[in-house]
Amino acid sequence: MPLDPANDRRPPITPQLAIRVAGAGVVAFVLFGIIFFRLWYLQVLDGDKYLAQARENRVRTERIAAPRGQILDANKVTLVDNRKATVVAINPASIPATTREAISAYGQAAGRWALRKKQYDRRLAKLSKKQRAKAAKLPPAPARPRAGGDLLMRYRRLATVLQMSAKTINDRVVDGIVQVPYANVRIRSDVPAPQRNFIEERPDAFPGVTVDSVYERTYPNHDMAAQVLGTIGQINGTELASKKFKGVVAGTDVGQSGLEYTYDNFLRGTDGRYRIEVNAAGERSQAATAVAPKAGEQLMLTLRKDVQDAGEAALRQAGGGKPGAFVALNPDTGAVYAMGSSPSYNPRDAAPGRYSTTKAYKAKFIDASTSFPLINRADESAYPTGSIFKPITSLAALDAGVISTSTVFTDTGCYQTGARKDIDVACNTNKTPYGPIAMVDALRVSSDTYYYNLGKKLYEKGTLNLQKWAHKLGVARKSGIDLPGERSGLIPSPSEVRRINELQQACVRKHPKGNCQIGSGNALWNPGDNENFAVGQGGLEATPLQMAVAYSTIVNGGRVPTPHLGAQVEDSRGIVTKIDKPSRRGIRIDPAWRTTIMNGLHAAANENGGTSKAVWDQGWPRTKYPIFGKTGTAERNGQADQSWYVGYSYDGSPTNRPILVVCTIEGGGFGAEAAAPAVRLIMSKWFGVTSKLVRGSSNDR
């Protein structure tokens, strides 16, 4: 019915209302426009991106670990290989959120505690024994969170199958999540097939537990060259953030020590991957496609298995099971033919997850009763060297001009080192007098008094030539060998004495009534300090490898070799890349000085009265393989004397085949009693001479 304007009672639209209606319309239009343009943006401009993400939502990608490259010796004998093994792990995402939060809090607290402990130990080291006993104790380390409820039951079920404790599983999960929160935590490696099948057939009983096939390292020669070859393990959080392992994903096995660590970038290879399409329910809808992994490259070494075997057998035979080490290398090129440390271990046994408890692992590798097999004593342990240091003292004295090669010294058997008669006296072993001797004879018989005299003359000259020559020849400085963990060592000097005594004085100022026994309180470098240093004692700390470098430099006339084990790498296409380790520096050694020292070393191994003559007397073909050698017997506080020997020889052929061997045996006694016989056994293998253990009766120190 048409409206009757006369009877229409609706109020007229006011201007204010019209404005409100218009405003609402504008807002609605703007909102509609925003929605329209957002849809247009998502569907047109960003459509490909979200389409790709949608596709990814129905694709599962799994990593296929690449096998690491083999490690071969110089004759292509396999030293390290691979085999497939089963690993049981736990996905951190399957751990309750509250437990993960507790683990995260524990990790932060443990990190703070570790820093406090480091600071506490540093302060404690500056106190006397009496003060340490009274010092406040450091609060105990935070305890790992313990699983409870369903998670604990899961651990117990898994522990029963894997034959380990639920506590160990809990500890490994906690430590693994602290290190890398998002990577599967490896619980046990090399799991037997029955245990693997039991877990795989009961996924509901083991939620979050994964069973994977991985490549594990195998060592055909068991514990041979273990410290040199090294170990591998799952990458941790610190390594993930490091430059060396840039681009490596969590869960990858990487080198942890030895050559496995140094050449990890060659050995590691490139992982492959599975791509599996699934439906909305997470069920596989299509067959998987895979990108095959690329195996790591082969690493060939300068090391020779036959010489390595001979060296390790020599340590056992001549050393009687005592800890020790040896290095055999080419003194011209630095190529290492063999390097060994005793006791040793099978790297397979040291792999993470091999032992069911941390306590069992420590009992095998860490506790003092083990003699620390993980340490490579050839380059990670520094000792006083005893008389094998004397050729270095000879060069320092000749360079300083305090003696000539022909200067005669009368050896009476003892030497007055200070003003106090019958107190400040140092003697040859058994106080043996050698009479008038020059440098060649001093090296032949290893006269201590001759070298005490050189130490005193160098002191009186006011020169640090002894320290300078030791450093130039490679003592107490890293050699550059392609192994991690090399130790620097220590050269005693006035500055070192001053540093120790400054610690002593600071302790006295802070604890005036305490018993501070860090140093003597006398910051002077005395004649006796230099005299002890001249015979390889008095605070000197050098590794067998450093002494091998020093002697090699003397043998080759001044070129300091860079010792190395890597020779070349070869990829899957057969492309070979040489590993070049040229000499980094050289020093000037007067040819007349070198000749004198070499004559002394030759006399020590060949002439009557020579400290190692008896070792080479029985059956060694001296004319075919000339021998140069130096014995040493180092005194160590609270321990039996340490045996040292350096031997050098060549065969006179066009290739020369030179070899220099350094051996040391802790508690082995005189140099000719243990270390020299071991060096002869190693050289016998190198030159093909009938192997024979011959012990000397030298009293050389």
Side-chain angles (χ1 to χ4, degrees):
M1 185 175 75
L3 294 175
D4 182 3
N7 297 320
D8 189 358
R9 301 297 183 182
R10 290 178 301 176
I13 298 177
T14 64
Q16 293 82 0
L17 180 61
I19 291 173
R20 291 177 183 174
V21 171
V26 170
V27 170
F29 181 79
V30 169
L31 292 174
F32 177 79
I34 291 172
I35 294 172
F36 173 81
F37 282 109
R38 181 59 179 164
L39 290 173
W40 176 79
Y41 177 82
L42 293 175
Q43 294 183 4
V44 179
L45 296 184
D46 249 9
D48 292 342
K49 170 186 172 182
Y50 290 103
L51 178 62
Q53 289 184 356
R55 287 174 177 169
E56 288 297 323
N57 286 335
R58 62 188 179 88
V59 173
R60 300 290 184 268
T61 302
E62 296 184 13
R63 184 175 65 91
I64 308 174
R68 290 177 71 83
Q70 293 178 313
I71 300 179
L72 313 176
D73 87 335
N75 296 317
K76 295 193 174 182
V77 176
T78 301
L79 304 179
V80 184
D81 210 338
N82 302 294
R83 68 179 178 86
K84 276 197 170 184
T86 299
V87 170
V88 172
I90 290 181
N91 186 345
S94 70
I95 304 298
T98 54
T99 302
R100 293 201 304 272
E101 290 171 1
I103 292 173
S104 176
Y106 158 78
Q108 295 174 8
R112 291 192 295 269
W113 184 87
L115 180 60
R116 286 185 61 190
K117 185 177 187 304
K118 186 176 181 180
Q119 296 169 342
Y120 177 82
D121 290 342
R122 191 180 296 123
R123 289 195 301 268
L124 213 61
K126 299 178 182 179
L127 303 179
S128 67
K129 185 177 181 181
K130 185 177 180 180
Q131 289 169 331
R132 286 196 293 269
K134 294 180 179 180
K137 303 299 181 184
L138 184 71
R144 293 184 181 90
R146 294 296 173 198
D150 292 341
L151 181 61
L152 178 59
M153 294 303 298
R154 192 196 318 177
Y155 287 172
R156 286 174 176 171
R157 287 193 297 269
L158 188 59
T160 301
V161 176
L162 297 179
Q163 299 178 353
M164 57 195 304
S165 71
K167 178 182 180 300
T168 299
I169 294 178
N170 180 85
D171 291 349
R172 289 185 180 173
V173 169
V174 170
D175 294 346
I177 293 177
V178 167
Q179 286 287 337
V180 187
Y182 43 84
N184 285 358
V185 179
R186 194 171 296 180
I187 302 300
R188 195 72 184 265
S189 300
D190 206 15
V191 176
Q195 297 174 358
R196 177 197 65 202
N197 296 338
F198 187 90
I199 295 171
E200 286 185 322
E201 291 167 1
R202 296 164 177 80
D204 294 339
F206 303 101
V209 177
T210 64
V211 180
D212 299 316
S213 291
V214 298
Y215 287 97
E216 282 207 343
R217 291 305 232 176
T218 61
Y219 304 88
N221 306 292
H222 308 293
D223 62 354
M224 189 203 80
Q227 297 90 348
V228 170
L229 298 174
T231 58
I232 65 169
Q234 206 166 5
I235 192 169
N236 59 40
T238 302
E239 291 166 339
L240 280 170
S242 69
K243 184 178 180 181
K244 179 177 177 63
F245 297 107
K246 184 178 180 180
V248 179
V249 299
T252 303
D253 281 331
V254 297
Q256 299 292 337
S257 64
L259 294 168
E260 292 276 19
Y261 177 86
T262 301
Y263 292 105
D264 181 79
N265 58 323
F266 293 109
L267 294 168
R268 191 188 323 128
T270 304
D271 291 340
R273 63 183 184 275
Y274 280 117
R275 293 175 60 85
I276 307 171
E277 292 192 13
V278 297
N279 58 26
E283 299 170 342
R284 181 180 296 187
S285 60
Q286 292 188 24
T289 59
V291 176
K294 179 183 177 183
E297 299 176 350
Q298 280 189 343
L299 172 65
M300 182 178 291
L301 308 179
T302 60
L303 184 143
R304 285 182 38 166
K305 179 182 178 297
D306 56 342
V307 183
Q308 183 73 29
D309 282 335
E312 296 187 6
L315 273 185
R316 291 190 296 269
Q317 192 175 358
K322 295 182 177 70
F326 68 91
V327 180
L329 50 69
N330 184 316
D332 295 328
T333 66
V336 177
Y337 299 135
M339 174 186 279
S341 180
S342 176
S344 190
Y345 66 98
N346 190 331
R348 180 176 176 270
D349 294 337
R354 181 69 56 189
Y355 282 81
S356 58
T357 66
T358 302
K359 183 178 180 180
Y361 179 86
K362 288 184 176 179
K364 179 74 174 179
F365 298 108
I366 305 297
D367 293 344
S369 60
T370 66
S371 295
F372 310 110
L374 298 178
I375 295 176
N376 184 358
R377 285 171 163 82
D379 75 328
E380 295 178 9
S381 291
Y383 310 97
T385 66
S387 294
I388 66 168
F389 189 78
K390 289 174 180 175
I392 299 175
T393 304
S394 299
L395 287 172
L398 290 167
D399 181 57
V402 300
I403 200 171
S404 72
T405 58
S406 59
T407 300
V408 174
F409 169 79
T410 301
D411 183 340
T412 61
C414 291
Y415 186 80
Q416 191 75 31
T417 61
R420 297 173 297 177
K421 190 175 181 181
D422 299 329
I423 296 178
D424 296 333
V425 176
C427 300
N428 297 328
T429 303
N430 297 329
K431 299 184 179 180
T432 304
Y434 296 112
I437 54 174
M439 187 170 288
V440 170
D441 284 333
L443 288 169
R444 174 176 61 86
V445 299
S446 196
S447 166
D448 285 340
T449 63
Y450 179 94
Y451 284 95
Y452 287 138
N453 180 56
L454 292 190
K456 186 175 182 180
K457 284 181 175 294
L458 286 166
Y459 177 87
E460 292 171 344
K461 180 88 171 181
T463 175
L464 293 178
N465 247 31
L466 193 49
Q467 287 79 6
K468 292 176 182 176
W469 271 90
H471 189 68
K472 285 199 300 184
L473 286 164
V475 177
R477 66 191 298 174
K478 293 184 178 181
S479 68
I481 192 170
D482 44 356
L483 288 174
E486 182 181 7
R487 185 172 173 182
S488 295
L490 178 67
I491 293 176
S493 66
S495 61
E496 182 63 21
V497 170
R498 191 177 304 112
R499 184 187 70 83
I500 293 173
N501 283 286
E502 284 172 355
L503 293 176
Q504 162 77 10
Q505 292 162 8
C507 177
V508 171
R509 286 194 299 270
K510 189 173 182 180
H511 307 283
K513 296 183 179 180
N515 182 21
C516 297
Q517 296 179 342
I518 301 170
S520 65
N522 179 5
L524 297 177
W525 176 257
N526 296 310
D529 297 318
N530 224 48
E531 291 162 7
N532 280 332
F533 182 30
V535 296
Q537 299 281 169
L540 171 66
E541 294 181 1
T543 68
L545 181 62
Q546 288 170 358
M547 296 310 295
V549 170
Y551 270 77
S552 294
T553 305
I554 295 172
V555 165
N556 68 42
R559 188 175 59 258
V560 183
T562 301
H564 59 279
L565 288 143
Q568 64 184 42
V569 292
E570 182 176 347
D571 65 15
S572 58
R573 296 171 295 174
I575 297 175
V576 174
T577 302
K578 296 289 185 181
I579 298 173
D580 189 22
K581 294 286 184 178
S583 174
R584 298 178 298 176
R585 58 191 179 88
I587 61 177
R588 183 187 177 280
I589 299 177
D590 188 297
W593 301 349
R594 176 190 176 276
T595 299
T596 298
I597 291 172
M598 294 303 293
N599 288 342
L601 298 178
H602 186 269
N606 297 274
E607 297 181 9
N608 291 334
T611 54
S612 61
K613 179 179 182 293
V615 174
W616 304 97
D617 268 349
Q618 301 180 35
W620 184 265
R622 283 189 169 97
T623 56
K624 190 173 183 180
Y625 309 118
I627 289 295
F628 303 78
K630 185 72 195 76
T631 52
T633 307
E635 297 176 352
R636 299 177 67 195
N637 289 335
Q639 300 184 47
D641 290 342
Q642 183 159 335
S643 180
W644 283 88
Y645 193 74
V646 182
Y648 163 68
S649 187
Y650 54 91
D651 68 0
S653 69
T655 57
N656 203 23
R657 298 182 66 222
I659 186 171
L660 187 142
V661 185
V662 176
C663 178
T664 188
I665 297 173
E666 298 176 20
F670 295 124
E673 292 179 320
V679 170
R680 171 172 172 156
L681 292 171
I682 296 170
M683 286 193 171
S684 296
K685 172 58 69 173
W686 179 256
F687 292 117
V689 176
T690 301
S691 179
K692 187 175 184 178
L693 178 67
V694 182
R695 296 188 187 275
S697 57
S698 166
N699 287 336
D700 167 46
R701 284 187 178 273

